[in-house]
Amino acid sequence: MTSETEQVTTPGAPAPRILNSEYVWITIGACALVFLGAFESLAVTTVMPTVSADLGGERLYALAFAGPLATGVIGMVIAGNWADRRGPVAPLYTAVAMFVVGLLVAGLAPSMEILVAGRFAQGLGSGGLMVALYVVVARVYPQALHPAIFAGFAAAWVIPSLIGPTVAGAVTELWSWHWVFLGVVILVLVALLMVIPALRGLANDGDASTRWAFGRLGWSVLAAVAVLALNLVGDIPGVGPVLALLAVVVALIAVRPLVPRGTLRARRGLPSVILVRGVAAAAFFGAQVYLPYLLTDRYELSPTLAGLSLTGGALAWSLAATVQGRMGVRLSSVTAVQVGTILVLVGILLIVATAGLGWNALMVAVAWVVAGMGMGLMSPRTSALTLAMSTPADQGFNSGAMTVADSFGSAMALAITGTLFTALAAADPFLGVFVLAAVVAFAAAVLAPRISSRSGGSAAAAVGEESAVG
């Protein structure tokens, strides 16, 4: 399969599409892997309140989500560096294998501690998987098709969003939550079989002169350890708040070498693209994890019904992503990201009102549709912007930075909300975590305009033009 730099469009020939014969297998295989991640994410989020109650692991509830996100940062750095050196094939296969191991450990876990350990392994695999997949996109598709394939990734959430929460809740009620993890293993094997033929020709498609970034790997481990510590030290009597603050500082210092220079200072252009993506993800997923918990605990809904609250958000995400891909230059990337972050904020504010004022549980589903639309608008555009602002030499690093921002932002948010949830146990813990998520979403909306360059956002405009082709 030809690389991006070798692909030439014949004058007068039809514009390439992601389902043309030369791209169809890699498109199906890549979207199948995204489908896998989507199903696992929605299913586990749905059943985790039941898992936590069954294993007596309420204290480790937030860690079960923040843990894999934190270890995922390590997997992302390894996969990004490995892909730059040797191409994306080997890191992709290794990540899938690690993901399967994590699912098996979690699915067979007799205690919450072992389940969390399995989630750690799962995070290593899923983090490496997404980075390798982004590098595959950069190697295989012309830049004009990047918005379309990223819209395809978002659309791959449609089926799991329809069946994931409902199936997970039904399996838990009829059999056992263990099968929610073990059943995903089957999806992994199916997705892998679809991907293998599509990756022929990409083996060793890298730059062997690229050095192993042991320094970045060390920083990624430190960042992960700091986030994990934040989950565990916050409720230590007396010194807990001080240790938690120290863990936040260490985590922010450690993540700096893993993202483009100027990211934490919101420098215009690529650094702000990465930052806004991470902050928006922190707000969205920091709130999403507690939605089924709110509905099962306060509204006494079944796991199946609670899971449906996530379905609307995932469907809205997919629909909005598809629409933004079709609109092309009629919707600039800057506008898509700005509107998207505002919608995420509005959705979370509706959740805050529901939790604080005791509104009907149906409002949770409505609010999450609004927030999902926001993520669907902004997420594909930040992905496309990241690749548009990258060179072949740093595609792996920047793709890794993008997914690091996703996972690190979400892990930090979940670590802090977990501590806050425990601290407010005697008051209203749900209201507290949703207010925090709203504050983070507000920060994303304020930072969104900085994704454009000082010269007027030429990169953003370029991505808009490319999406019209895709």
Side-chain angles (χ1 to χ4, degrees):
M1 190 171 292
T2 57
S3 68
E4 177 182 324
T5 57
E6 295 170 332
Q7 290 161 342
V8 179
T9 301
T10 303
R17 301 277 180 181
I18 60 174
L19 291 178
N20 283 3
S21 59
E22 58 185 316
Y23 302 121
V24 63
W25 286 112
I26 191 64
T27 296
I28 294 174
C31 288
L33 285 173
V34 175
F35 168 92
L36 155 71
F39 185 91
E40 183 274 338
S41 175
L42 291 166
V44 173
T45 302
T46 300
V47 304
M48 192 56 71
T50 301
V51 174
S52 177
D54 186 36
L55 299 180
E58 289 80 2
R59 182 175 177 273
L60 299 178
Y61 182 86
L63 184 60
F65 293 98
L69 292 171
T71 57
V73 173
I74 301 173
M76 293 165 193
V77 172
I78 294 174
N81 195 188
W82 195 354
D84 283 340
R85 280 178 52 84
R86 298 295 182 185
V89 176
L92 183 63
Y93 289 160
T94 303
V96 169
M98 181 61 69
F99 188 66
V100 168
V101 169
L103 286 171
L104 290 173
V105 171
L108 299 173
S111 68
M112 194 67 171
E113 289 77 11
I114 293 178
L115 183 137
V116 169
R119 295 280 286 163
F120 286 2
Q122 192 179 333
L124 279 171
S126 61
L129 171 65
M130 290 310 300
V131 170
L133 209 52
Y134 279 126
V135 178
V136 168
V137 168
R139 294 285 198 271
V140 172
Y141 297 91
Q143 196 174 73
L145 291 183
H146 288 173
I149 185 60
F150 287 128
F153 284 0
W157 282 72
V158 170
I159 295 177
S161 67
L162 286 171
I163 66 173
T166 304
V167 169
V171 167
T172 300
E173 293 180 48
L174 295 175
W175 293 289
S176 168
W177 59 262
H178 296 274
W179 286 105
V180 173
F181 291 94
L182 298 177
V184 176
V185 174
I186 300 173
L187 296 176
V188 176
L189 298 178
V190 172
L192 187 60
L193 289 174
M194 298 175 71
V195 165
I196 289 175
L199 295 179
R200 292 172 183 169
L202 290 183
N204 298 319
D205 183 23
D207 184 358
S209 65
T210 302
R211 296 182 178 181
W212 282 108
F214 292 112
R216 289 210 306 269
L217 177 58
W219 285 116
S220 70
V221 172
L222 180 59
V225 170
V227 171
L228 296 177
L230 180 58
N231 281 270
L232 300 173
V233 303
D235 57 351
I236 296 178
V239 297
V242 176
L243 292 177
L245 179 60
L246 179 61
V248 170
V249 172
V250 171
L252 291 175
I253 292 174
V255 82
R256 286 185 64 190
L258 309 180
V259 294
R261 184 174 299 177
T263 297
L264 298 185
R265 291 184 285 108
R267 180 183 295 174
R268 285 186 174 274
L270 179 61
S272 284
V273 172
I274 300 296
L275 179 61
V276 169
R277 184 180 176 107
V279 175
F284 185 85
F285 293 107
Q288 178 176 270
V289 163
Y290 287 92
L291 291 184
Y293 202 164
L294 171 71
L295 294 174
T296 56
D297 182 78
R298 180 170 296 179
Y299 291 91
E300 298 182 347
L301 298 183
S302 69
T304 302
L305 291 177
L308 289 175
S309 68
L310 306 182
T311 299
L315 285 172
W317 183 325
S318 299
L319 178 61
T322 301
V323 169
Q324 67 78 33
R326 293 182 179 276
M327 289 187 70
V329 295
R330 290 172 292 170
L331 178 68
S332 73
S333 291
V334 174
T335 300
V337 174
Q338 286 181 300
V339 173
T341 53
I342 291 172
L343 288 175
V344 171
L345 173 59
V346 171
I348 295 176
L349 286 175
L350 289 174
I351 297 292
V352 171
T354 302
L357 301 176
W359 288 356
N360 190 284
L362 183 60
M363 183 56 67
V364 172
V366 173
W368 216 235
V369 166
V370 175
M373 288 175 58
M375 292 298 289
L377 277 177
M378 63 153 294
S379 185
R381 291 301 179 101
T382 55
S383 298
L385 278 169
T386 298
L387 291 184
M389 295 177 179
S390 303
T391 66
D394 60 15
Q395 285 170 345
F397 174 77
N398 289 339
S399 296
M402 179 172 55
T403 49
V404 163
D406 280 340
S407 288
F408 180 79
S410 300
M412 284 287 289
L414 287 170
I416 296 172
T417 55
T419 301
L420 187 62
F421 193 86
T422 301
L424 296 176
D428 191 342
F430 292 109
L431 181 61
V433 298
F434 293 134
V435 167
L436 177 61
V439 171
V440 176
F442 177 76
V446 170
L447 292 169
R450 299 187 64 80
I451 67 170
S452 64
S453 66
R454 292 187 183 277
S455 59
S458 58
V463 173
E465 293 167 4
E466 290 154 8
S467 66
V469 178

